[in-house]
Amino acid sequence: MSDKIYTVSQLNKYIKQRFEDDIILNSVMIRGEISNFKVHTSGHCYFTLKDTSASIKCVAFRSFAMRLRFAPQNGMKVIAKGYVSIYERDGAYQLYVQGLVPEGIGELSLALEQLKEKLSKEGLFDSKYKKPLPFYPKKIGVVTSRTGAVIRDICHVAKRRNSLVKIVLYSVLVQGEEASTQICEGINFFNKKYPVDVLIVGRGGGSMEDLWAFNEEKVVRAIFNSKIPVISAVGHETDYSLSDFVSDMRAATPSQAAELAVPERDGLINYIDTLQKELNYKYYKQIESKKSQLQMLLQNSLLMHKDKLLVSKQQQMDLLIERLYKSAQISFKDKFHQATLLNEKLQTLNPINILKRGYSLTKKQNKFIKSVKDVQQNDFLQIVLADGTIKVKVIDIDKQDK
């Protein structure tokens, strides 16, 4: 038995060094099922990889976790690549993850399905948000690379169909790390600074990795938020991207996008001619119909004997006038009777009539006296009679006892 005594820290450091010296543990790939997955506020991801009889703790630091294109979930079978070392503070060994791919399905395919499901739940692909393409666009914006065949194909088809249509290019990278940002900038440019009637966003064919910029969430949201109708033209006929699902119209190829956006000039002229002929036909049909109706009205018996019609109407007018006159008379008698009754009531209440019966009114300084309390000795009063006024002086006041 060794006589040397080690501290816990020394032991853990020694074990960690042995882990680091092991060739296999320095770079190992482990297959397992994710459980207890958690994202810390620092951005680091902590989870456990397990199989039917064992488990190992894992950590993926923020710098790596940010580059993951899919979202790890509990129950997902993955292959993790990294190195095994010991966390000295706890004395626990764990796998430090430097690579993580889903087992049985590609990383990009899984990321695409996860993002598609997320955006679909938000309603970004709903048909109710699809904007109709303009019937006759004058300016078409194109967001693609200036060096690819896409812009050449669009210009060729557009000019062949209608040489008056103006094509405006916003050149962007269509693959690589900066592509998605530039595509968003192009869409926003046409929406905010250079309005056009319709937008074509796309590129030529390629692998899923090549087309990935058109699956980025910010590109999908930029298309959804566009006030201008957007035609997606990404890849070949069999290629599909999330831009296809969110756009207002999907074209199998850039050439087809130009055909959808630009109506054929000769076809428009023929369509206008057809409308003109149809309008003239309906116009003459309406004239003929109105003529027939007029002839039928002119042959009507009432119009043929209009004097009889006037006599009948004149008799109706005479009857109405007679009824109106009788109604006015009855109304006048009622109102006259009501006025007579009101006049009699007024005469009854008229103070002059009361004075005629021998009564009088007494006033002091033009104010009626209601009580002896309102009068003092030597006051001058006016006694109002039916036929005049008597001015008197108060000599004495005789109050009645109650």
Side-chain angles (χ1 to χ4, degrees):
M1 181 176 178
S2 175
D3 294 333
K4 187 174 182 179
I5 300 174
Y6 297 93
T7 64
V8 175
S9 298
Q10 289 173 327
L11 179 61
N12 284 350
K13 189 171 292 187
Y14 174 78
I15 295 173
K16 182 178 180 181
Q17 187 62 49
R18 297 301 298 266
F19 272 81
E20 291 176 354
D21 292 340
D22 190 287
I23 297 176
I24 294 177
L25 298 181
N26 266 336
S27 180
V28 63
M29 298 179 68
I30 302 175
R31 175 186 290 111
E33 179 181 312
I34 294 177
S35 66
N36 301 320
F37 185 84
K38 181 177 70 173
V39 180
H40 194 268
T41 54
S42 63
H44 305 325
C45 297
Y46 299 91
F47 58 97
T48 300
L49 275 183
K50 64 178 184 178
D51 56 22
T52 56
S53 57
S55 65
I56 183 173
K57 293 189 178 299
C58 306
V59 58
F61 292 126
R62 180 175 179 271
S63 56
F64 165 73
M66 288 179 60
R67 298 196 302 272
L68 278 175
R69 284 172 166 164
F70 70 98
Q73 297 174 356
N74 291 330
M76 185 181 292
K77 296 186 185 306
V78 295
I79 297 176
K81 179 182 179 182
Y83 63 93
V84 179
S85 185
I86 188 171
Y87 184 41
E88 291 184 44
R89 192 196 70 178
D90 296 341
Y93 77 90
Q94 56 189 3
L95 177 68
Y96 291 82
V97 179
Q98 295 175 316
L100 192 67
V101 294
E103 188 176 18
I105 182 172
E107 180 183 8
L108 290 181
S109 298
L110 178 60
L112 180 64
E113 287 304 314
Q114 288 181 337
L115 183 57
K116 181 180 177 183
E117 182 179 1
K118 173 189 171 183
L119 298 178
S120 180
K121 287 180 179 178
E122 290 185 31
L124 269 66
F125 305 148
D126 289 356
S127 58
K128 64 182 179 181
Y129 296 119
K130 306 296 183 186
K131 296 178 287 294
L133 300 182
F135 178 73
Y136 187 76
K138 296 179 181 178
K139 286 188 292 186
I140 297 174
V142 181
V143 180
T144 191
S145 170
R146 70 168 63 250
T147 59
V150 172
I151 186 62
R152 293 196 300 272
D153 292 344
I154 290 175
C155 289
H156 175 73
V157 174
K159 294 301 179 184
R160 172 173 54 80
R161 293 176 68 83
N162 187 351
S163 60
L164 300 178
V165 173
K166 183 178 180 181
I167 305 295
V168 183
L169 171 68
Y170 188 98
S171 181
V172 298
L173 293 173
V174 292
Q175 67 184 70
E177 291 185 2
E178 297 298 321
S180 59
T181 300
Q182 292 188 14
I183 293 168
C184 292
E185 290 172 352
I187 295 170
N188 292 331
F189 170 78
F190 285 114
N191 274 272
K192 296 179 180 179
K193 295 183 179 179
Y194 195 93
V196 292
D197 300 310
V198 65
L199 271 176
I200 298 176
V201 179
R203 58 154 289 157
S207 64
M208 180 178 288
E209 288 81 0
D210 294 338
L211 305 179
W212 190 254
F214 297 89
N215 290 319
E216 293 281 1
E217 182 173 354
K218 57 185 176 182
V219 172
V220 176
R221 293 193 183 277
I223 294 174
F224 179 79
N225 293 324
S226 173
K227 300 290 189 296
I228 304 169
V230 177
I231 300 175
S232 174
V234 181
H236 299 306
E237 188 171 357
T238 56
D239 297 323
Y240 271 89
S241 67
L242 296 184
S243 296
D244 295 326
F245 292 104
V246 74
S247 61
D248 301 296
M249 184 75 72
R250 188 251 176 185
T253 62
S255 296
Q256 188 188 42
E259 292 178 354
L260 292 171
V262 183
E264 195 171 14
R265 187 170 180 271
D266 293 340
L268 284 175
I269 293 173
N270 293 334
Y271 179 63
I272 292 171
D273 289 341
T274 301
L275 289 178
Q276 184 66 48
K277 291 176 182 178
E278 186 176 349
L279 180 63
N280 291 336
Y281 174 75
K282 289 184 176 180
Y283 169 75
Y284 287 115
K285 287 290 289 183
Q286 281 281 71
I287 294 295
E288 292 299 320
S289 175
K290 298 302 180 185
K291 281 183 179 179
S292 299
Q293 291 179 20
L294 180 60
Q295 289 296 328
M296 291 177 63
L297 289 172
L298 291 174
Q299 294 173 6
N300 189 288
S301 60
L302 290 175
L303 290 176
M304 295 293 289
H305 304 88
K306 51 185 178 295
D307 293 338
K308 292 182 180 180
L309 180 63
L310 290 174
V311 169
S312 173
K313 296 300 180 184
Q314 190 170 7
Q315 287 178 343
Q316 291 181 17
M317 186 181 294
D318 291 340
L319 288 173
L320 290 173
I321 292 172
E322 186 176 350
R323 289 178 186 174
L324 181 62
Y325 178 73
K326 288 180 179 179
S327 177
Q329 280 187 321
I330 293 171
S331 179
F332 176 76
K333 287 180 180 180
D334 289 342
K335 298 299 181 185
F336 183 79
H337 180 65
Q338 292 176 13
T340 302
L341 293 175
L342 288 173
N343 185 55
E344 290 176 357
K345 289 181 180 180
L346 288 173
Q347 290 300 324
T348 302
L349 298 174
N350 190 348
I352 300 300
N353 291 332
I354 297 173
L355 295 177
K356 286 180 179 179
R357 295 200 297 269
Y359 295 95
S360 65
L361 301 171
T362 305
K363 296 195 296 182
K364 176 185 175 181
Q365 295 178 352
N366 291 325
K367 293 183 179 179
F368 288 104
I369 297 171
K370 298 180 181 179
S371 171
V372 293
K373 295 178 182 178
D374 299 332
V375 180
Q376 296 179 0
Q377 253 184 329
N378 298 321
D379 283 349
F380 287 96
L381 307 177
Q382 298 92 38
I383 300 174
V384 181
L385 301 171
D387 57 352
T389 303
I390 301 174
K391 296 180 179 180
V392 298
K393 181 179 181 182
V394 177
I395 299 173
D396 192 15
I397 300 171
D398 186 9
K399 297 182 179 179
Q400 293 182 357
D401 295 330
K402 294 184 180 179

